[in-house]
Amino acid sequence: MQRFDFYCEWDGGTELDYRSASLFHGVIMHALPASFSEHLHKTSVAEFHQKLEFGENALKWTIHALTDECAGYVEESLYQKMDTFYLKQKQIELRVVRKESSDNLSYYEWYCMQSRKGEPSNKVRVAFSSPASFKSYNTYLEEPNLSLCYRSLAMRLGSVQETIRFPKKIWEHLADQTSIRHHAIEKCSFPLEKVNIPAFKGEMILELQGDEDELLMMNLLWDFANFAGLGIKTAVGMGQTEVTFL
């Protein structure tokens, strides 16, 4: 698990927002070695998640690499080499004025850190800062579904590492142990390849119940959402999630 931050600026009055996220995904895929880009296209596992935070003619572009292989390629192909890049569709050249990165944290180290924090939290705030969506039975969902939230996180975590394992279909039980205490969600959409994906934004506050092991599982999964995003299309910038333990 490794984070790469690119602080970028550009000239002119063109504005960028979350609807431009797929353009940044294109920059990533073009910069990576062709063999690894092809692997990412073919696999069902999203090995990175990108987040965008916008200011006036400035932005912070964050890439969260979820596997060691992906982290190595992002560091070599983007972090070490990229000082400028061009968004052809917007006709904007962005300058990278600063870069920051975290240490590459193993999932075992992350698990140990979470386990040693003391008593797990039983309340979390989940804020969706970019459109998020789930797909169930070929239908896009325009509001969060707790079972699908846990399923998405558990399966994603299980697919990128082998250290932490959860019981089969644990997401159904964890959803039953979770109550929504506050819900401020609005419908929206996310444009992708001339298609608008039905989605939602906003926040919810959740109350968690269960024994210590169950609470630890829920805390692990919600903390993972901070890094991996939540729902579908997280590699193109959907599902940017900010989780706060209350």
Side-chain angles (χ1 to χ4, degrees):
M1 303 171 70
Q2 190 166 6
R3 187 195 77 250
F4 301 90
D5 295 325
F6 301 82
Y7 294 84
C8 307
E9 296 178 352
W10 66 94
D11 299 322
T14 303
E15 294 185 1
L16 297 175
D17 58 23
Y18 71 85
R19 288 169 291 210
S20 307
S22 61
L23 305 182
F24 289 83
H25 177 263
V27 172
I28 297 172
M29 299 301 284
H30 180 75
L32 294 173
S35 59
F36 189 63
S37 292
E38 184 178 359
H39 158 73
L40 293 176
H41 277 303
K42 290 181 177 179
T43 183
S44 60
V45 179
E47 295 190 30
F48 67 85
H49 169 47
Q50 62 166 340
K51 303 177 73 171
L52 294 163
E53 301 174 51
F54 297 94
E56 185 175 351
N57 281 14
L59 65 86
K60 178 184 177 183
W61 178 31
T62 299
I63 302 171
H64 287 165
L66 305 184
T67 65
D68 289 342
E69 183 179 26
C70 185
Y73 282 129
V74 170
E75 181 168 15
E76 179 182 350
S77 303
L78 287 100
Y79 189 76
Q80 293 181 2
K81 295 181 179 180
M82 184 172 288
D83 295 314
T84 63
F85 59 96
Y86 188 68
L87 300 181
K88 183 177 180 181
Q89 293 87 334
K90 294 288 186 178
Q91 296 185 343
I92 299 174
E93 183 178 71
L94 290 92
R95 302 181 301 276
V96 180
V97 296
R98 189 167 95 248
K99 303 175 189 177
E100 295 176 353
S101 68
S102 70
D103 293 332
N104 194 351
L105 186 69
S106 74
Y107 285 93
Y108 176 74
E109 291 170 323
W110 171 67
Y111 173 79
C112 291
M113 288 172 57
Q114 298 301 314
S115 302
R116 293 167 183 164
K117 282 185 177 179
E119 187 174 343
S121 176
N122 66 350
K123 188 177 288 187
V124 296
R125 176 185 290 109
V126 182
F128 301 97
S129 56
S130 75
S133 185
F134 297 92
K135 195 171 185 180
S136 179
Y137 297 102
N138 292 318
T139 300
Y140 292 108
L141 303 186
E142 297 177 283
E143 62 180 23
N145 174 292
L146 290 177
S147 180
L148 290 179
C149 286
Y150 283 120
R151 182 181 186 274
S152 172
L153 293 169
M155 293 190 70
R156 183 94 174 276
L157 182 57
S159 67
V160 296
Q161 53 80 48
E162 298 182 352
T163 301
I164 306 166
R165 292 298 178 190
F166 295 102
K168 188 176 181 180
K169 293 189 176 181
I170 186 62
W171 47 84
E172 297 174 357
H173 176 68
L174 297 183
D176 289 339
Q177 299 289 88
T178 303
S179 302
I180 300 177
R181 294 306 183 195
H182 169 72
H183 185 275
I185 298 294
E186 60 181 30
K187 296 180 181 180
C188 61
S189 63
F190 187 89
L192 184 63
E193 297 176 357
K194 299 181 180 180
V195 175
N196 285 323
I197 297 177
F200 57 86
K201 289 180 68 176
E203 71 169 32
M204 57 185 180
I205 295 178
L206 307 177
E207 185 174 323
L208 315 177
Q209 297 179 336
D211 59 30
E212 187 172 347
D213 288 339
E214 291 168 335
L215 286 174
L216 176 59
M217 280 190 284
M218 287 186 272
N219 279 221
L220 283 169
L221 291 174
W222 287 118
D223 190 65
F224 184 59
N226 273 325
F227 199 82
L230 186 56
I232 63 172
K233 306 294 184 182
T234 55
V236 296
M238 289 190 70
Q240 295 182 26
T241 309
E242 306 293 337
V243 177
T244 307
F245 293 92
L246 305 175

